[in-house]
């Protein structure tokens, strides 16, 4: 296993690595630096675009451009012009709430959640953006929404409320996009960090960044810990398989922790990393269908 920093981008809050199999490019974001990045599999040819507010996640669209979760709503984004256009403004439960992590299911829906920025109150919601751009609420009572992803057959939806120190599993109705039967998938202990960004590999195992403790964890479909990787930064934030064979694990990080009591001291803080030699492949990500 080989871990290396491939882009020293010093993201304030790097998040949302997304490998696009069509372009053979990696996208990621700086949530607090209000920026989208794109590069090749080795971190070369970096391009970036500013966005007009804090960004939680992006989904590439089948017909070009992207769908963005910005602080106050869902936006369409044109990479050619750099313009972001509001599609749906979200009514938050307070002025400390913003949209955060999101992913696309195999039917082309975009599932994205919100977080309470002081990380102390369960004011966040979970939304589903259908392919016709209708937005519906599918869960509530969330403090920090993170790590949405699906089992390979999309019958199970995984989701982390980071401050609950757990990854949750739901039954997922692929026809309707509805959730049911919420249960705890895994609980994180004091040395595991908090569950942050996540992905599922081709074997159905869940990978989660253990933020604030330098960890990446791999769990079996039954919730058994299979592997823990120690990273060279404290604030590791999200993971995604990519590369031509989908066998490279990309990892984002943040420059400094947004909560008191956590100190990032590593010189590579805020970098984009890649881990090679795992011998494990991921699954291709879907594009938004609208």
């Amino acid at each position: 296993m080989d871990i290396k920093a491939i882009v020293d981008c010093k993201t304030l809050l790097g998040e949302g690595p997304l490998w696009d199999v069509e372009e053979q490019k990696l996208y990621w974001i700086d949530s607090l630096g209000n920026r989208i990045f794109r590069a090749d599999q080795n971190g070369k040819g970096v391009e970036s675009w500013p966005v007009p507010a804090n960004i939680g996640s992006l989904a590439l669209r089948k017909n070009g451009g992207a769908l963005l979760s910005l602080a106050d709503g869902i936006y369409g984004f044109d990479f050619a012009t750099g313009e972001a256009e509001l599609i749906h403004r979200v009514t938050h439960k307070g002025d400390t709430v913003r949209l955060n992590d999101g992913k696309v299911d195999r039917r082309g829906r975009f599932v994205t959640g919100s977080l309470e920025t002081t990380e102390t109150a369960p004011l966040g919601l979970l939304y589903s953006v259908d392919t016709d751009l209708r937005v519906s609420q599918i869960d509530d009572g969330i403090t920090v929404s993170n790590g949405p992803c699906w089992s390979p057959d999309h019958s199970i939806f995984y989701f982390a409320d980071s401050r609950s120190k757990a990854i949750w599993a739901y039954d997922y109705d692929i026809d309707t996009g509805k959730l049911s039967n919420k249960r705890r998938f895994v609980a994180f202990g004091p040395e595991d960090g908090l569950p942050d960004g996540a992905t599922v590999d081709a074997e159905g195992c869940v990978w989660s960044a253990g933020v604030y403790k330098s960890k990446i964890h791999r769990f079996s479909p039954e919730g058994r810990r299979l592997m823990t990787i120690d990273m060279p930064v404290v604030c590791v934030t999200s993971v995604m398989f990519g590369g031509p064979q989908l066998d490279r694990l990309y990892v984002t990080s943040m420059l400094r922790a947004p909560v008191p009591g956590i100190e990032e001291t590593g010189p590579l803080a805020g970098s984009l990393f890649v881990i090679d030699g795992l011998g494990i492949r991921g699954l291709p990500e879907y594009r938004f269908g609208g």
Side-chain angles (χ1 to χ4, degrees):
M1 184 175 64
D2 178 47
I3 303 172
K4 58 178 176 285
I6 57 172
V7 183
D8 183 13
C9 41
K10 291 188 168 51
T11 46
L12 298 178
L13 177 49
E15 281 284 3
L18 170 64
W19 177 261
D20 183 53
V21 295
E22 185 175 320
E23 293 183 77
Q24 292 288 293
K25 296 282 189 178
L26 183 77
Y27 290 78
W28 72 103
I29 61 175
D30 187 343
S31 287
L32 300 182
N34 305 350
R35 189 164 288 273
I36 299 167
F37 294 91
R38 179 172 66 190
D40 71 13
Q41 66 160 324
N42 297 312
K44 304 301 183 185
V46 176
E47 304 168 88
S48 69
W49 296 263
V51 293
N54 289 168
I55 174 172
S57 51
L58 71 84
L60 297 176
R61 302 178 77 162
K62 289 181 180 178
N63 60 358
L67 209 62
L68 309 181
S69 285
L70 297 188
D72 64 344
I74 305 299
Y75 287 71
F77 187 75
D78 187 328
F79 289 102
T81 65
E83 294 297 318
E85 180 181 0
L86 179 66
I87 292 172
H88 178 89
R89 192 178 302 281
V90 172
T91 301
H92 293 308
K93 291 186 175 181
D95 58 9
T96 59
V97 180
R98 69 168 175 85
L99 289 181
N100 200 44
D101 208 353
K103 292 263 179 63
V104 176
D105 75 9
R106 71 180 186 188
R107 290 288 178 85
R109 300 183 194 92
F110 182 44
V111 176
T112 184
S114 54
L115 62 79
E116 197 278 317
T117 55
T118 69
E119 301 191 11
T120 59
L123 301 178
L125 302 173
L126 190 62
Y127 303 93
S128 179
V129 184
D130 216 327
T131 55
D132 61 3
L133 297 174
R134 288 181 300 171
V135 179
S136 57
Q137 178 187 322
I138 56 175
D139 203 2
D140 61 7
I142 299 158
T143 303
V144 181
S145 65
N146 266 314
C149 51
W150 288 265
S151 60
D153 65 358
H154 278 230
S155 66
I156 300 172
F157 175 70
Y158 299 104
F159 177 77
D161 183 346
S162 296
R163 283 296 163 182
S164 74
K165 302 178 182 178
I167 299 174
W168 302 88
Y170 304 71
D171 293 340
Y172 190 75
D173 188 327
I174 191 62
D175 292 323
T176 65
K178 301 299 184 183
L179 303 175
S180 62
N181 189 27
K182 181 179 180 180
R183 65 270 189 193
R184 183 181 283 106
F185 173 61
V186 292
F188 276 48
E191 297 308 310
D192 295 332
L194 299 181
D196 203 331
T199 192
V200 173
D201 65 30
E203 299 172 20
C205 297
V206 178
W207 294 72
S208 175
V211 69
Y212 308 142
K213 287 293 183 178
S214 310
K215 306 295 186 187
I216 296 172
H217 307 285
R218 186 191 189 216
F219 301 98
S220 75
E222 297 74 37
R224 183 167 54 91
R225 190 189 309 270
L226 301 177
M227 180 189 303
T228 295
I229 299 171
D230 290 306
M231 293 294 293
V233 289
V234 172
C235 298
V236 55
T237 56
S238 193
V239 291
M240 171 62 61
F241 282 94
Q245 306 302 317
L246 295 177
D247 60 352
R248 313 186 76 191
L249 188 68
Y250 293 96
V251 184
T252 51
S253 66
M254 68 175 95
L255 191 61
R256 62 183 66 89
V259 293
I262 305 294
E263 197 167 334
E264 176 62 87
T265 57
L268 297 175
S271 294
L272 173 73
F273 296 85
V274 67
I275 303 177
D276 289 311
L278 291 168
I280 297 166
R281 293 189 178 187
L283 296 166
E285 290 296 312
Y286 296 91
R287 286 189 170 211
F288 178 72

